[in-house]
Amino acid sequence: MSVYLHAVAAATPEHAYAQEAVGQWMQELAGDERQRRLLRALYRASGITTRHTVIPEFGRDFFGRDANGTLVEPGTGARNAIYTREARQLGVTSGRMLLEQLPDIAATDITHVVTASCTGFFNPGLDYFLIRDLGLPASTERYHLGFMGCYAAFPALRMATRFCQVNPQANVLVLCLELCSLHIQLGDREDQLLANALFADGAAAALVSARPPAPGCPALRLEHFASALVPEGEADMTWSIGDHGFDIALSSYVPKILGANIAGVVDEVLADAGCPRDEIDIWAVHPGGKSILDQIERSLALRPEQLATSRRVLRDFGNMSSATILFVLSDLLLDPNGRGQRICSMAFGPGLTVEMALLSQLQG
């Protein structure tokens, strides 16, 4: 039985800042010229033009000052309080936008809600407020996938697909929401400086159902999911809770580790799915950073146009963790030139974990 991704509604906070301006501000905070040179290189090579955030002034008003005028970082509780307020608002906005795209599916038709986020916690959570504020049935089943990182959209979509395979009448609302900018931190750790240069805020809601799409309506058929590990990178990407937000370890070696291993991982997954690599038309890759996309392109011998959507999302939004790949799929879903094409999509996270999905664009 076929299951479809019918629509994706991507939303961002109202505050948008040029990457160049953020980089200049971070250089003003740098402790020495060596750090300023590093920051200039990071921001110029990021492949990012714009990022969105729930923080006004992208941090200038986020940090306090002590009696000596020194910047003071807010604690984890203060950051999570902002997450609690802003995540609820952005999540409901994204969910409402999704329902507006689906004239044949009413709020009362939603049977399941699956949420994913790794940048904050509160309870009742996003799943509860989606049901209450969007007018979904009180009987809606709800599930939350927490603290997975950038690859969490795939377990969420896989879970939604399984629900629909068991119950062909199911309509599953999937929401991935991340407010990564709340965890911007000061200091001179290179991995933290890299994270500060990459991550941004965004949310994307998607509708998964076995209901065939109406004639002329775009949809992506969800065909195959797979998970893999690259143990060589276990210590190179980690995510833990600290006293001043969540602490990320993000080694500059991550792109090289992925580049050295991804071809073998991809070919094994595609062989299991009975789909040779040369049958893939589009590669919807999580744009974790420009270096990651460069390595994937080289390792898989891809043409530039096969990663164009991933690069465009990185340029316009930065890395929004789990929400980012849904921004990529949203663009592909609406691409009138992509009908009938096969898509291999993937994302990476702590572990190093690789999550993949095979999809196909319907003719419409």
Side-chain angles (χ1 to χ4, degrees), residues 33-324:
E33 182 56 32
R34 181 201 65 82
Q35 188 175 336
R36 283 189 284 273
R37 286 198 301 270
L38 175 61
L39 286 167
R40 283 195 291 271
L42 286 175
Y43 282 79
R44 287 173 181 170
S46 67
I48 299 169
T49 300
T50 308
R51 289 189 286 166
H52 293 76
T53 173
V54 296
I55 305 172
E57 297 295 325
F58 212 100
R60 289 177 186 268
D61 293 341
F62 188 54
F63 302 107
R65 291 188 181 273
D66 62 18
N68 297 319
T70 304
L71 286 172
V72 178
E73 299 188 63
T76 301
R79 296 171 191 253
N80 197 68
I82 300 174
Y83 175 90
T84 300
R85 180 184 71 246
E86 299 292 341
R88 174 182 168 184
Q89 178 179 336
L90 187 62
V92 170
T93 296
S94 181
R96 187 169 289 118
M97 291 168 57
L98 177 71
L99 292 174
E100 290 172 353
Q101 294 183 29
L102 300 164
D104 296 332
I105 298 178
T108 52
D109 294 326
I110 302 298
T111 58
H112 302 71
V113 166
V114 180
T115 57
S117 186
C118 69
T119 47
F121 307 93
F122 62 98
N123 204 0
L126 286 168
D127 48 353
Y128 172 88
F129 288 107
L130 287 173
I131 291 172
R132 201 193 75 174
D133 295 351
L134 296 179
L136 310 187
S139 59
T140 302
E141 295 183 28
R142 45 196 178 109
Y143 304 86
H144 180 67
L145 303 177
F147 224 66
M148 284 185 165
C150 295
Y151 63 83
F154 289 102
L157 292 174
R158 181 169 55 233
M159 180 183 287
T161 300
R162 300 292 183 260
F163 292 150
C164 295
Q165 290 170 336
V166 171
N167 175 13
Q169 304 306 312
N171 295 299
V172 186
L173 191 162
V174 173
L175 174 71
C176 294
L177 184 149
E178 306 290 2
L179 304 184
C180 305
S181 68
L182 291 176
H183 302 290
I184 185 173
Q185 295 182 19
L186 303 176
D188 58 0
R189 285 174 38 228
E190 290 192 10
D191 53 355
Q192 188 60 57
L193 296 177
L194 176 59
N196 290 346
L198 286 175
F199 287 102
D201 302 349
L207 192 284
V208 176
S209 176
R211 179 185 303 197
C217 292
L220 299 176
R221 182 184 289 110
L222 298 163
E223 297 180 346
H224 184 76
F225 292 91
S227 302
L229 297 178
V230 181
E232 294 92 328
E234 181 177 343
D236 290 278
M237 188 187 300
T238 64
W239 190 234
S240 60
I241 300 175
D243 293 333
H244 297 285
F246 297 170
D247 296 328
I248 187 168
L250 185 60
S251 167
S252 60
Y253 292 107
V254 168
K256 294 179 181 178
I257 295 169
L258 283 173
N261 290 273
I262 197 63
V265 170
V266 166
D267 288 342
E268 182 176 348
V269 169
L270 294 180
D272 288 343
C275 178
R277 200 197 300 179
D278 60 6
E279 291 186 7
I280 300 298
D281 300 298
I282 299 294
W283 295 80
V285 179
H286 167 67
K290 182 179 181 297
S291 296
I292 286 177
L293 294 178
D294 290 345
Q295 287 284 354
I296 297 297
E297 185 174 302
R298 283 194 291 268
S299 298
L300 298 180
L302 303 182
R303 302 186 305 277
E305 62 269 22
Q306 291 179 294
L307 280 178
T309 302
S310 294
R311 292 191 187 276
R312 183 166 63 249
V313 169
L314 178 67
R315 180 195 67 202
D316 294 342
F317 300 100
N319 183 344
M320 299 167 288
S321 191
S322 69
T324 320

Side-chain angles (χ1 to χ4, degrees), residues 17-27 43 46 48-50:
Y17 297 99
Q19 178 78 330
E20 183 180 0
V22 178
Q24 184 59 46
W25 179 63
M26 296 305 291
Q27 290 176 54
Y43 282 79
S46 67
I48 299 169
T49 300
T50 308

